[in-house]
Amino acid sequence: MIITNINMVLENEVVRGSIEFNKQGIVSLADSPSQHPSAYDGEGGWLIPGLIELHTDNLEQYFTPRPKVDWPPFSAMSAHDAQVVGAGITTVLDAVALGDYRGTGDRSKNVDKLIETVVESQKRGVNRADHFLHLRCELPHSTTLGMFERYADVDAIKLVSLMDHAPGQRQFVNVEKYREYYQGKYKFSDAELQHFEQEQVALSEQWSRPNRVAVSERCRDLVIPMASHDDATLEHVNESRELGMAIAEFPTTVDAAVRSHQLGMQVLMGAPNVVRGGSHSGNVAAHQLASMGVLDILSSDYYPASLLNAIFALSSDESNDYDMVKATRLATYNPAQALLLEDRGLIAEGKRADLLLCHLHHGSPYVTHVWRNGRQVF
């Protein structure tokens, strides 16, 4: 495959030219148009490495599209896979929550199905993107450690994150935001919400610290990269680094983000935060961290298309120094390095041909083609 007349976002520069690749990888790059008669004209579009998504809950909504509605697993997986590839994502870590923070609920019932479906669909070669697993360990729960031990040896696991969503700390320092979110999500009455809050605080006090220590120790033994989640204070960050975290997911304050970056943890923020201009929980805005130079990785979180949108939004924002090359690395090279995936994340000779071609219309990027490992998948 040869593509010509494209703006290629390379490791350190953007080059207007052409590329040749096949299923073995990227063969050659040129800073001039190709004269080959079969070369595809990219019409001045942007050629970017296939995006790498570390934290998305998107699969869950296909498994349970409505409350009490279970969708056939492989049909759900296919729809999710098509959506992420259509957003330019060629490597995705599907997040699975362990330890149901409501005590009961669809998440705990779906864990086996989710994990089995991701593993089996990947094994059968039916996925368009490369799918791996991200275990989200909800620490304030008696079942969390046992569930983690049950799945810890699954080869597809590439990341484990440790989180505590109890009110009054981390993501929900603002308790009113906590009430607004959970009452809207689960339709609690005021009395039910009050009981829920009290229960979550008690569970956090009992289980969060021992589970955090035990899960992180096991991950270090298994050499699984770990991410902290919603660190808000310097104490949170220092503890995360001591426990071996490589990624700081969604730090909620400037201080926590800056300290994480200083300690060598990759600061990950939500692409929807960039696109929307701020956090839905009222925490630090991603563009503020970008302006300080401490934003390292982007994740689409709950909206796959936001990843590519955020790259272009950051690269056109004059309040930061994230040009197109640096902004692209947030969703390609940097997450690949965090996961120890050396074969992808860059457009360079010998690397996997995981690529997306997009064009700007009305200021927004539209994906026109996607290749994964040299094979066109969109």
Side-chain angles (χ1 to χ4, degrees), residues 27-182:
V27 177
S28 63
L29 307 170
D31 59 359
S32 58
S34 171
Q35 303 303 316
H36 198 284
S38 67
Y40 177 78
D41 185 359
E43 300 180 338
W46 293 89
L47 190 75
I48 297 174
L51 306 183
I52 300 174
E53 172 56 57
L54 300 191
H55 180 132
T56 176
D57 306 318
N58 193 58
L59 180 56
E60 287 187 348
Q61 71 176 344
Y62 287 100
F63 268 70
T64 311
R66 287 188 176 182
K68 299 181 181 179
V69 173
D70 294 327
W71 204 253
F74 285 93
S75 173
M77 184 71 192
S78 176
H80 161 64
D81 178 54
Q83 185 180 8
V84 297
V85 164
I89 298 168
T90 52
T91 301
V92 54
L93 270 57
D94 295 313
V96 180
L98 305 184
D100 188 8
Y101 46 78
R102 281 181 288 162
T104 60
D106 293 328
R107 275 182 164 175
S108 60
K109 297 175 185 176
N110 277 336
V111 169
D112 283 336
K113 284 196 300 182
L114 281 164
I115 290 177
E116 180 183 357
T117 304
V118 170
V119 171
E120 282 300 313
S121 60
Q122 192 66 23
K123 185 185 299 183
R124 296 177 189 180
V126 297
N127 294 332
R128 303 184 192 192
D130 267 348
H131 287 261
F132 300 101
L133 289 165
H134 170 171
L135 298 186
R136 299 180 53 199
C137 296
E138 295 284 353
L139 299 174
H141 204 276
S142 60
T143 65
T144 303
L145 181 58
M147 293 181 74
F148 173 76
E149 290 288 1
R150 179 177 176 180
Y151 304 113
D153 293 324
V154 175
D155 289 339
I157 296 169
K158 294 295 182 183
L159 184 64
V160 171
S161 59
L162 309 181
M163 52 193 67
D164 181 346
H165 288 103
Q169 49 93 58
R170 296 184 180 267
Q171 180 179 352
F172 292 110
V173 171
N174 185 332
V175 177
E176 288 306 314
K177 286 287 186 181
Y178 180 89
R179 292 168 181 163
E180 177 184 312
Y181 179 80
Y182 282 102

Side-chain angles (χ1 to χ4, degrees), residues 3-4 8 150 199 205 207 220 231 245 311 313 321 373:
I3 310 175
T4 190
M8 298 181 290
R150 179 177 176 180
E199 180 184 53
E205 291 174 351
W207 293 106
R220 292 195 300 272
D231 282 352
M245 307 295 155
I311 289 173
D321 68 348
N373 214 13

Side-chain angles (χ1 to χ4, degrees), residues 221-243:
D221 291 341
L222 294 169
V223 196
I224 300 174
M226 288 183 288
S228 63
H229 191 83
D230 296 336
D231 282 352
T233 67
L234 297 183
E235 290 76 14
H236 289 159
V237 175
N238 291 337
E239 178 189 44
S240 295
R241 192 67 188 118
E242 288 170 7
L243 292 175

Side-chain angles (χ1 to χ4, degrees), residues 17 24 105 120 122 250 260 287 300 302 313 370 372:
Q24 282 69 52
E120 282 300 313
Q122 192 66 23
F250 313 124
S260 297
H287 66 79
S300 70
Y302 57 88
V370 178
R372 195 260 290 179

Side-chain angles (χ1 to χ4, degrees), residues 233-309:
T233 67
L234 297 183
E235 290 76 14
H236 289 159
V237 175
N238 291 337
E239 178 189 44
S240 295
R241 192 67 188 118
E242 288 170 7
L243 292 175
M245 307 295 155
I247 298 170
E249 278 192 341
F250 313 124
T252 64
T253 64
V254 169
D255 287 347
V258 170
R259 182 61 175 162
S260 297
H261 188 80
Q262 289 172 342
L263 292 177
M265 298 165 65
Q266 299 266 50
V267 176
L268 180 153
M269 294 293 285
N273 186 316
V274 174
V275 176
R276 297 179 63 253
S279 163
H280 71 83
S281 301
N283 296 314
V284 66
H287 66 79
Q288 183 179 358
L289 300 185
S291 70
M292 301 172 69
V294 297
L295 176 62
D296 301 304
I297 296 176
L298 287 171
S299 163
S300 70
D301 197 7
Y302 57 88
Y303 200 85
S306 66
L307 202 52
L308 187 60
N309 279 270

